[in-house]
Coordinates of all heavy atoms in Angstrom, one line a residue:
H18 N 75.7 -19.7 -25.9 CA 76.4 -20.9 -26.0 C 75.9 -21.9 -24.9 O 75.7 -23.1 -25.2 CB 77.9 -20.6 -25.9 CG 78.7 -21.9 -26.0 ND1 79.1 -22.3 -27.3 CD2 79.2 -22.8 -25.2 CE1 79.8 -23.4 -27.1 NE2 79.9 -23.7 -25.9
E19 N 75.8 -21.4 -23.7 CA 75.4 -22.2 -22.6 C 74.0 -22.7 -22.8 O 73.7 -23.9 -22.5 CB 75.5 -21.5 -21.2 CG 76.9 -21.5 -20.7 CD 77.5 -22.9 -20.5 OE1 76.8 -23.7 -19.8 OE2 78.6 -23.1 -20.9
E20 N 73.1 -21.9 -23.3 CA 71.7 -22.3 -23.5 C 71.6 -23.4 -24.6 O 70.9 -24.4 -24.4 CB 70.9 -21.1 -23.9 CG 69.4 -21.4 -23.9 CD 68.5 -20.2 -24.1 OE1 69.1 -19.0 -24.3 OE2 67.3 -20.3 -24.1
L21 N 72.4 -23.3 -25.6 CA 72.5 -24.3 -26.6 C 73.1 -25.6 -26.1 O 72.7 -26.7 -26.5 CB 73.3 -23.8 -27.9 CG 72.7 -22.7 -28.7 CD1 73.6 -22.2 -29.8 CD2 71.3 -23.1 -29.3
K22 N 74.1 -25.5 -25.2 CA 74.7 -26.6 -24.6 C 73.7 -27.4 -23.7 O 73.6 -28.6 -23.8 CB 75.9 -26.2 -23.7 CG 76.8 -27.3 -23.3 CD 78.0 -26.7 -22.5 CE 79.2 -27.5 -22.9 NZ 80.4 -26.9 -22.3
V23 N 72.9 -26.7 -22.9 CA 71.8 -27.3 -22.1 C 70.8 -28.0 -23.0 O 70.4 -29.2 -22.7 CB 71.2 -26.3 -21.2 CG1 69.9 -26.8 -20.5 CG2 72.1 -25.8 -20.1
W24 N 70.4 -27.4 -24.1 CA 69.5 -28.0 -25.0 C 70.1 -29.2 -25.6 O 69.4 -30.3 -25.7 CB 69.1 -27.0 -26.1 CG 68.2 -27.6 -27.2 CD1 66.9 -27.7 -27.1 CD2 68.7 -28.3 -28.3 NE1 66.4 -28.5 -28.2 CE2 67.5 -28.8 -29.0 CE3 69.9 -28.6 -28.9 CZ2 67.6 -29.5 -30.2 CZ3 70.0 -29.3 -30.1 CH2 68.8 -29.8 -30.7
L25 N 71.3 -29.2 -26.0 CA 72.0 -30.3 -26.7 C 72.1 -31.5 -25.7 O 71.8 -32.7 -26.1 CB 73.4 -30.0 -27.2 CG 74.2 -31.1 -27.9 CD1 73.4 -31.6 -29.1 CD2 75.5 -30.5 -28.3
R26 N 72.4 -31.3 -24.5 CA 72.4 -32.4 -23.5 C 71.0 -33.1 -23.4 O 70.9 -34.3 -23.4 CB 72.9 -31.9 -22.1 CG 74.3 -31.7 -22.0 CD 74.7 -31.1 -20.6 NE 76.1 -30.8 -20.6 CZ 77.0 -31.4 -19.8 NH1 76.6 -32.3 -19.0 NH2 78.2 -31.0 -19.8
A27 N 70.0 -32.2 -23.3 CA 68.6 -32.8 -23.2 C 68.3 -33.5 -24.5 O 67.6 -34.6 -24.5 CB 67.6 -31.6 -22.9
Y28 N 68.7 -33.0 -25.6 CA 68.4 -33.6 -26.9 C 69.0 -35.0 -27.0 O 68.4 -36.0 -27.4 CB 68.9 -32.7 -28.0 CG 68.8 -33.2 -29.4 CD1 67.6 -33.3 -30.1 CD2 69.9 -33.7 -30.1 CE1 67.5 -33.8 -31.4 CE2 69.8 -34.1 -31.4 CZ 68.6 -34.2 -32.1 OH 68.5 -34.7 -33.3
I29 N 70.3 -35.1 -26.6 CA 71.0 -36.4 -26.7 C 70.4 -37.3 -25.7 O 70.2 -38.5 -26.0 CB 72.5 -36.1 -26.5 CG1 73.1 -35.4 -27.7 CG2 73.2 -37.5 -26.2 CD1 74.5 -34.9 -27.5
N30 N 70.1 -36.9 -24.5 CA 69.4 -37.7 -23.5 C 68.1 -38.3 -24.0 O 67.8 -39.5 -23.8 CB 69.2 -37.0 -22.2 CG 70.5 -36.8 -21.4 OD1 71.5 -37.5 -21.6 ND2 70.5 -35.8 -20.5
A31 N 67.3 -37.4 -24.6 CA 66.0 -37.9 -25.2 C 66.3 -38.9 -26.3 O 65.5 -39.9 -26.4 CB 65.3 -36.7 -25.7
K32 N 67.3 -38.7 -27.1 CA 67.6 -39.7 -28.2 C 68.0 -41.0 -27.6 O 67.6 -42.1 -28.1 CB 68.7 -39.1 -29.1 CG 68.2 -38.0 -30.0 CD 67.3 -38.5 -31.1 CE 67.0 -37.4 -32.1 NZ 66.0 -37.8 -33.0
S33 N 68.8 -41.0 -26.6 CA 69.2 -42.2 -26.0 C 68.1 -43.0 -25.3 O 68.1 -44.2 -25.2 CB 70.4 -42.0 -25.0 OG 70.0 -41.3 -23.9
Q34 N 67.1 -42.3 -24.8 CA 65.9 -42.9 -24.2 C 64.9 -43.5 -25.2 O 64.0 -44.2 -24.8 CB 65.3 -41.9 -23.2 CG 66.1 -41.6 -22.0 CD 65.5 -40.5 -21.2 OE1 64.4 -40.1 -21.4 NE2 66.3 -40.2 -20.1
T35 N 65.1 -43.1 -26.4 CA 64.2 -43.6 -27.5 C 64.7 -44.8 -28.2 O 64.3 -45.1 -29.3 CB 63.8 -42.5 -28.5 OG1 65.0 -42.1 -29.1 CG2 63.1 -41.4 -27.8
G36 N 65.7 -45.5 -27.6 CA 66.2 -46.7 -28.2 C 67.4 -46.6 -29.0 O 67.9 -47.6 -29.6
L37 N 68.0 -45.4 -29.1 CA 69.3 -45.2 -29.8 C 70.3 -45.9 -29.0 O 70.4 -45.7 -27.7 CB 69.6 -43.7 -29.9 CG 70.6 -43.3 -31.0 CD1 70.1 -43.7 -32.4 CD2 70.8 -41.8 -30.9
D38 N 71.2 -46.8 -29.6 CA 72.2 -47.5 -28.8 C 73.4 -46.6 -28.5 O 74.4 -46.7 -29.1 CB 72.7 -48.7 -29.7 CG 71.6 -49.8 -29.7 OD1 70.8 -49.9 -28.8 OD2 71.5 -50.5 -30.8
V39 N 73.2 -45.8 -27.5 CA 74.3 -44.9 -27.0 C 75.2 -45.7 -26.1 O 74.8 -46.2 -25.0 CB 73.8 -43.6 -26.3 CG1 74.9 -42.8 -25.8 CG2 72.9 -42.8 -27.3
L40 N 76.5 -45.9 -26.5 CA 77.4 -46.6 -25.6 C 78.2 -45.7 -24.7 O 78.6 -46.0 -23.6 CB 78.4 -47.4 -26.5 CG 77.8 -48.4 -27.4 CD1 78.8 -49.1 -28.3 CD2 77.0 -49.5 -26.7
D41 N 78.5 -44.4 -25.2 CA 79.3 -43.5 -24.4 C 78.9 -42.1 -24.9 O 78.7 -41.8 -26.1 CB 80.8 -43.8 -24.6 CG 81.7 -43.0 -23.7 OD1 81.2 -42.5 -22.7 OD2 82.8 -42.7 -24.1
T42 N 78.9 -41.2 -23.9 CA 78.8 -39.7 -24.2 C 79.8 -39.0 -23.4 O 80.0 -39.2 -22.2 CB 77.4 -39.2 -23.8 OG1 76.4 -40.0 -24.4 CG2 77.2 -37.8 -24.1
Q43 N 80.6 -38.2 -24.1 CA 81.6 -37.4 -23.5 C 81.4 -35.9 -23.8 O 81.1 -35.6 -25.0 CB 83.0 -37.8 -24.0 CG 83.4 -39.2 -23.7 CD 84.7 -39.7 -24.3 OE1 85.5 -38.8 -24.7 NE2 84.9 -41.0 -24.3
Y44 N 81.6 -35.1 -22.8 CA 81.4 -33.6 -23.0 C 82.7 -32.9 -23.0 O 83.6 -33.3 -22.2 CB 80.5 -33.1 -21.9 CG 79.1 -33.7 -21.9 CD1 78.7 -34.8 -21.2 CD2 78.1 -33.2 -22.8 CE1 77.5 -35.4 -21.3 CE2 76.9 -33.7 -22.9 CZ 76.5 -34.9 -22.1 OH 75.3 -35.4 -22.3
D45 N 82.8 -31.9 -23.8 CA 84.1 -31.1 -23.9 C 85.3 -32.1 -24.1 O 86.2 -32.0 -23.4 CB 84.3 -30.3 -22.7 CG 83.1 -29.3 -22.5 OD1 82.7 -28.7 -23.5 OD2 82.6 -29.2 -21.3
S46 N 85.2 -32.8 -25.2 CA 86.2 -33.9 -25.4 C 86.8 -33.7 -26.9 O 86.0 -33.6 -27.8 CB 85.6 -35.3 -25.3 OG 86.5 -36.3 -25.7
G47 N 88.1 -33.6 -27.0 CA 88.8 -33.7 -28.3 C 88.4 -32.5 -29.2 O 88.3 -32.7 -30.4
G48 N 88.1 -31.3 -28.6 CA 87.8 -30.2 -29.4 C 86.3 -30.1 -29.8 O 85.9 -29.2 -30.4
F49 N 85.5 -31.0 -29.3 CA 84.1 -31.0 -29.5 C 83.3 -30.8 -28.3 O 83.8 -31.1 -27.2 CB 83.6 -32.4 -30.1 CG 84.2 -32.6 -31.5 CD1 85.4 -33.4 -31.6 CD2 83.6 -32.1 -32.6 CE1 85.9 -33.6 -32.9 CE2 84.1 -32.3 -33.9 CZ 85.3 -33.1 -34.0
D50 N 82.1 -30.2 -28.4 CA 81.3 -29.9 -27.2 C 80.7 -31.2 -26.7 O 80.6 -31.5 -25.5 CB 80.2 -28.9 -27.5 CG 80.8 -27.6 -27.7 OD1 81.3 -27.0 -26.8 OD2 80.8 -27.1 -28.9
V51 N 80.4 -32.1 -27.6 CA 79.9 -33.4 -27.2 C 80.3 -34.5 -28.2 O 80.3 -34.2 -29.4 CB 78.3 -33.5 -27.1 CG1 77.8 -34.8 -26.7 CG2 77.8 -32.4 -26.2
Y52 N 80.7 -35.6 -27.7 CA 81.1 -36.8 -28.5 C 80.1 -37.9 -28.1 O 80.0 -38.2 -26.9 CB 82.5 -37.2 -28.3 CG 82.8 -38.6 -28.8 CD1 83.1 -38.9 -30.1 CD2 82.9 -39.7 -27.9 CE1 83.4 -40.1 -30.5 CE2 83.2 -40.9 -28.3 CZ 83.4 -41.2 -29.6 OH 83.7 -42.5 -30.1
V53 N 79.5 -38.6 -29.1 CA 78.6 -39.7 -28.8 C 79.0 -40.9 -29.5 O 79.2 -40.9 -30.8 CB 77.1 -39.3 -29.2 CG1 76.2 -40.5 -28.9 CG2 76.6 -38.1 -28.4
K54 N 79.3 -42.0 -28.8 CA 79.6 -43.2 -29.4 C 78.4 -44.1 -29.4 O 77.8 -44.4 -28.4 CB 80.7 -43.9 -28.6 CG 81.1 -45.3 -29.0 CD 81.8 -45.3 -30.4 CE 82.2 -46.7 -30.7 NZ 82.4 -47.0 -32.1
L55 N 77.9 -44.5 -30.6 CA 76.8 -45.4 -30.8 C 77.3 -46.8 -31.1 O 78.5 -47.0 -31.3 CB 75.9 -44.9 -31.9 CG 75.4 -43.4 -31.8 CD1 74.7 -43.0 -33.0 CD2 74.4 -43.3 -30.6
K56 N 76.4 -47.7 -31.1 CA 76.8 -49.1 -31.4 C 77.5 -49.2 -32.7 O 78.5 -49.9 -32.8 CB 75.5 -50.0 -31.4 CG 75.8 -51.4 -31.6 CD 74.5 -52.2 -31.5 CE 74.7 -53.7 -31.7 NZ 73.5 -54.5 -31.6
D57 N 77.0 -48.5 -33.7 CA 77.6 -48.7 -35.1 C 78.3 -47.4 -35.7 O 78.7 -47.4 -36.8 CB 76.6 -49.2 -36.0 CG 75.4 -48.3 -36.1 OD1 75.2 -47.4 -35.3 OD2 74.6 -48.4 -37.0

Side-chain angles (χ1 to χ4, degrees):
H18 185 86
E19 279 303 310
E20 192 172 0
L21 293 174
K22 194 177 220 178
V23 168
W24 175 86
L25 182 57
R26 283 179 185 241
Y28 175 75
I29 291 170
N30 286 339
K32 288 289 187 189
S33 67
Q34 292 175 2
T35 59
L37 198 64
D38 290 328
V39 176
L40 301 177
D41 186 27
T42 303
Q43 297 175 14
Y44 297 93
D45 300 315
S46 175
F49 294 95
D50 291 291
V51 182
Y52 163 80
V53 177
K54 173 70 175 158
L55 303 170
K56 184 177 180 181
D57 58 346

